[in-house]
Amino acid sequence: MAGKRDTSKDGLDNKIQTFVLTNFKGVWKFVQSNQSLARKVNKTLINSLIYKIPTRPNPYSMMTLDEQIPDTNIQKKTDTYTSWESLNDRTYIGRHLPPDPKLNSQKNLPKVEDLAILFRKRDGKTIYSSKSTMLFPYWVQWFTDSFLRIDHNQGHKLKNTSNHEIDLCNVYGLTRKQTHLLRTFQGGKFKTQKLKRQDGIEEEYPLFYYADPAQGKVDPQFNGLYEPVNDEKRQPPDKKQYLFAMGVERANVQIGYVMLNTLCIREHNRLCDELVRSYPDWDDERLFQTARNILMAIILNIIMEEFINHITPYHFKLFADPAAFTKESWYRPNWMTIEFDFVYRWHSSIPDTFKYDGKPTHIAASLWNNKMFIDKGLGALMEETCSQPGTRIGLFNTPDILVELTELPSIRLGRQLQLASYNDYREMCGFPRVTKFEQITGDEFAQEKLKELYGDVDNIEFYVGIYAEEVRKNSTIPPLVARLIGIDAFSEALNNPLLSPNIFNKDTFSPVGWEIIQNTKTVSDLVNRNVPPSDKKYKVTFDLQ
């Protein structure tokens, strides 16, 4: 039963800011209409979001948990102090708060298996989002997978394989060698092929990764692209034949991911055509590198102006203004943190079933299944994706297949990494510590289960607590998740080298590329210029209309 949440621990400043930004729509419309005033307000609001949390450099990283001094056989005690190496070795995942071995001693925590009830759907009922289409969770999985990359070859999960930038490595590869394997070295383009969809019209796709799918034999031109995912259950031969050669090992995982990767590959090649028309003397390398820069700037623009504004409930629409922030104290090198990884584990935003070609289809059918995408084509699949809702982010809403695969392992990982408590992170983020379960959620069933499992609010773990909170009206994510994204999303994006004032200009992107960047604000812009000319204009949006 849903009751009214006790808001006494929301914090007065937080309440005032939310109230002002979610009311007075006419005032905010006037502010947005004045460019000079809008820039000042935009800077103030973005800074206010980022400065809610201590900014980089973070005093800790996962190096504090490593039981062995790197590159030696010397064992050390787990420490919680700052060292020069912990401030600079970015092969380790960053962290905002130091380890808390006391919380993770297991004495105050329930068995991980007992927590499954917090994520499974009640009576099998799915809670759909009132704001987001399925493009929203597809986009989140795709773009975060390029920089939130825990090294699963490390038994202790302390390291990452990330470049710590929104660099589209899922499209271009993590290394220069991987990038080279995907290129034609002619006209700056990616290697692609034409494939027919069900209606006979051809569209552009990446090349297939396997030369002999039945034997698992990789096409020799892609040897060394990445370590294949050796899971025959997820990659049976009938699906292997359609897997594409793309930037990272998980790029074929789900049709939403493949759809967005393919969109970027088409746009890159389209940009090369635009550039060669205007600059016929440019060689292959300059065409490739300039198209890559343009595409990354476009994606950064969409993240900050379409994706972020979809998340927030505010009437003022935040926008990218890179030059405004270069003197801020948060303007520091990027370093992905474990907390940022956890606040983007939105497994509950994916429904059990979705409509494909108008028919209910289990989400498992869309895993490693590029034939579904090829048959339908980019525009039609994207429009069908945007015609149906995603599901609400929070407890009691994760598909059964993902509870055991993703939710419980996330809790185990949090304990292994000795993450501080939910209340500790509230305090760090400028929220008062909760003292009652009713201050987290008004859902009486959730209150009952949290109390039964944890006994005291101070025992609630970070991963459970952030998703137990209620989603604010007209928002898509709970408040503490939003607060943590404020520091790591805006500051990470605005710190991208391409957005530096001496780089973000026509010299870097070319006059033609600069104009394309300025005139591309949405995913819809990208999709509708990368489908066959005979196709209609497709409706593409994060927002349910």
Side-chain angles (χ1 to χ4, degrees), residues 183 187-188 272 275 279 281-293 506-510:
R183 292 175 57 179
C272 289
L275 292 170
Y279 314 108
D281 295 334
W282 282 13
D283 62 13
D284 166 79
E285 187 66 16
R286 186 168 186 182
L287 289 168
F288 178 85
Q289 298 297 347
T290 304
R292 182 179 188 173
N293 288 344
K506 293 179 182 179
D507 290 339
T508 298
F509 302 105
S510 79

Side-chain angles (χ1 to χ4, degrees), residues 389-447:
T391 45
R392 190 206 66 186
I393 295 169
L395 300 185
F396 311 114
N397 212 32
T398 301
D400 284 344
I401 62 169
L402 294 180
V403 173
E404 298 290 337
L405 286 174
T406 59
E407 304 290 25
L408 300 189
S410 295
I411 295 170
R412 290 190 186 98
L413 180 61
R415 293 184 184 185
Q416 185 180 351
L417 302 180
Q418 298 182 11
L419 293 185
S421 72
Y422 161 67
N423 245 344
D424 289 338
Y425 280 102
R426 278 185 63 89
E427 187 173 28
M428 182 195 80
C429 292
F431 289 105
R433 298 176 73 92
V434 295
T435 56
K436 298 186 296 184
F437 294 97
E438 293 81 0
Q439 293 159 351
I440 302 172
T441 175
D443 186 318
E444 293 178 7
F445 182 76
Q447 294 168 12

Side-chain angles (χ1 to χ4, degrees), residues 65-67 92 151 154-159 413 416-417:
L65 282 180
D66 203 334
E67 296 176 354
Y92 284 91
D151 187 351
Q154 296 288 329
H156 42 36
K157 307 293 191 300
L158 303 179
K159 293 195 171 188
L413 180 61
Q416 185 180 351
L417 302 180

Side-chain angles (χ1 to χ4, degrees), residues 314-327:
Y314 305 149
H315 288 310
F316 183 87
K317 300 304 178 186
L318 301 162
F319 56 89
D321 187 12
F325 301 101
T326 55
K327 294 182 180 179

Side-chain angles (χ1 to χ4, degrees), residues 422-476:
Y422 161 67
N423 245 344
D424 289 338
Y425 280 102
R426 278 185 63 89
E427 187 173 28
M428 182 195 80
C429 292
F431 289 105
R433 298 176 73 92
V434 295
T435 56
K436 298 186 296 184
F437 294 97
E438 293 81 0
Q439 293 159 351
I440 302 172
T441 175
D443 186 318
E444 293 178 7
F445 182 76
Q447 294 168 12
E448 175 189 330
K449 289 303 173 185
L450 287 169
K451 187 173 183 178
E452 177 184 310
L453 289 161
Y454 287 100
D456 189 292
V457 290
D458 278 326
N459 294 332
I460 296 177
E461 297 164 270
F462 173 63
Y463 188 70
V464 172
I466 57 176
Y467 295 113
E469 291 185 341
E470 289 183 1
V471 175
R472 292 175 296 179
K473 183 181 179 181
N474 200 34
S475 184
T476 59

